[in-house]
Amino acid sequence: AIYVSAAGNYGQYAYSGIFNGAAGKAHEFAAGDTLQSITIQPGSYTVSLQWEDDFYSIGETDNDGTQVDLDIYLYDESGTSIEYNTNVNNIGKDPFEVMDFTNPSDVPVNVNIKVVNATNDDAVRFKYIFFRGGPNVTFNEHINGGGTIVGQANALGAIATGAVFYQNTPSIDPTKSPTPASFSSRGGTPVDGVVRSKPDIMGPNGANTTVELGGNPTIDNDEFPNFSGTSAAAPHVAGAIALIREGRDRFLGLNTGPRVMKQLIQETATPMGDPLESGPGFLQTQDVMLQFANPSPEIVSYDIDPSIDVQTLGREPFEVTIKGKYMTDTTVVVFGETPLETVII
């Protein structure tokens, strides 16, 4: 099956590194600095910490779970621990912790994150991601981002889909080039030491819907609410893939599988820059279709500038405006057997 997954809406709201500190001590983000300063806006937050070790819950009989126990804490601006602690003893269990907290005030607050190794001094690789509240977090120091495409979206067989605001695409505004939304998760998360090439494709988000999903109806100044996030981009890509599969079956008699489909949409994508931010680029469904279903252009009418002297036709260059159907950016006018300079308006 072809599996399309939202890449995630975690942007670059993350930190990753190799634990630097002794047993029972805190990770040093820099020499002598065990606190990472962040600023949080009013609201609620969820941070997930995971480190590289065995998972007990995968059910293998020879798997004893993690032998490292990392904990994550929140400190106030003075370096005093905020009264919060739901860390557990992870030995023999799964290597992750989750920290929820809230800024109940109506102003931004500076706080600090601390990561502690409660068991040993192993130089284990770890990462934490803001799964909730990320856009309202400002990292004041030790900024390294790190990949935020994780879980099923980071699977080899998945088509992890990042998000581009639909109004920032050439089909809507020819003066604009597609750019990844700030919240769209980035690639770079290693699996067994290998960084996978993610995201796999970028799709549009922010378009209209008749279903109220909490979107901002004024984002494009019309009456309809908008569906945003990579959870909106992924269905667009899945729908396009369904059309491409149907077309290839009808015109070519082919049942297109996951590997070929991923190759088709990636080869025709519009490049957007850093592959860890946007993969091969923005989806171009029509370009895939035109590889196997390209109808011949038909001329409907043509116009010649009435000021041109008909007596000179054939002796002096002149322009013809042709109106027709099934023309694309690659359509060329041919006179006899000679291709003529052609500009698509």
Side-chain angles (χ1 to χ4, degrees):
I2 298 173
Y3 178 62
V4 182
S5 172
N9 301 325
Y10 315 127
Q12 294 176 294
Y13 315 120
Y15 175 88
S16 61
I18 298 176
F19 191 88
N20 177 25
K25 302 294 184 181
H27 169 69
E28 291 190 356
F29 292 94
D33 187 1
T34 61
L35 296 175
Q36 182 185 31
S37 172
I38 63 173
T39 301
I40 57 174
Q41 301 294 324
S44 299
Y45 300 86
T46 297
V47 181
S48 179
L49 169 70
Q50 186 187 323
W51 54 98
E52 198 169 44
D53 207 348
D54 289 337
F55 273 76
Y56 175 78
S57 62
I58 63 174
E60 294 182 359
T61 56
D62 60 347
N63 187 347
D64 296 326
T66 181
Q67 300 305 301
V68 177
D69 182 19
L70 296 190
D71 296 321
I72 187 167
Y73 298 91
L74 199 66
Y75 283 69
D76 66 17
E77 197 169 14
S78 68
T80 302
S81 176
I82 294 175
E83 194 166 336
Y84 164 83
N85 185 7
T86 59
N87 291 296
V88 299
N89 182 351
N90 297 91
I91 300 301
K93 302 175 184 178
D94 290 338
F96 78 94
E97 293 280 5
V98 176
M99 180 171 68
D100 294 300
F101 58 91
T102 301
N103 174 7
S105 71
D106 56 0
V107 296
V109 174
N110 292 331
V111 292
N112 298 276
I113 287 180
K114 176 183 280 190
V115 178
V116 175
N117 190 331
T119 52
N120 54 49
D121 56 358
D122 287 354
V124 62
R125 184 184 300 276
F126 73 93
K127 175 194 293 289
Y128 73 74
I129 298 175
F130 275 84
F131 282 149
R132 180 173 58 160
N136 294 323
V137 175
T138 300
F139 289 83
N140 301 321
E141 58 182 352
H142 315 309
I143 303 169
N144 70 0
T148 54
I149 297 180
V150 294
Q152 78 278 2
N154 208 31
L156 280 175
I159 297 178
T161 303
V164 174
F165 182 41
Y166 84 96
Q167 287 193 334
N168 292 336
T169 60
S171 59
I172 301 298
D173 186 342
T175 67
K176 293 184 177 180
S177 299
T179 55
S182 61
F183 58 77
S184 187
S185 286
R186 270 56 171 178
T189 304
V191 178
D192 294 330
V194 177
V195 175
R196 292 177 173 171
S197 181
K198 299 283 180 174
D200 296 288
I201 197 71
M202 303 295 285
N205 87 111
N208 286 338
T209 175
T210 57
V211 181
E212 180 55 62
L213 297 169
N216 182 357
T218 64
I219 194 171
D220 50 8
N221 299 315
D222 63 23
E223 62 184 295
F224 296 102
N226 303 94
F227 185 19
S228 298
T230 57
S231 292
H236 275 286
V237 171
I241 286 174
L243 291 173
I244 294 168
R245 285 195 76 191
E246 183 180 20
R248 285 173 61 84
D249 178 48
R250 177 177 177 180
F251 285 91
L252 304 177
L254 297 176
N255 181 17
T256 308
R259 183 184 60 82
V260 173
M261 183 59 70
K262 182 184 288 189
Q263 180 179 350
L264 287 171
I265 62 174
Q266 290 184 336
E267 288 179 345
T268 54
T270 299
M272 293 172 52
D274 186 349
L276 291 181
E277 291 188 352
S278 53
F282 188 66
L283 177 73
Q284 296 296 321
T285 312
Q286 175 175 285
D287 290 347
V288 183
M289 291 290 196
L290 289 177
Q291 292 181 348
F292 59 85
N294 189 355
S296 298
E298 294 181 7
I299 296 177
V300 174
S301 63
Y302 63 89
D303 298 313
I304 300 176
D305 188 338
S307 65
I308 295 177
D309 184 355
V310 295
Q311 301 300 321
T312 66
L313 289 180
R315 295 193 295 273
E316 298 291 336
F318 63 94
E319 290 186 355
V320 178
T321 301
I322 300 175
K323 298 178 182 178
K325 298 188 295 184
Y326 313 125
M327 296 183 180
T328 72
D329 290 341
T330 60
T331 299
V332 175
V333 176
V334 176
F335 182 73
E337 296 182 355
T338 304
L340 303 182
E341 181 180 353
T342 306
V343 177
I344 304 299
I345 302 175

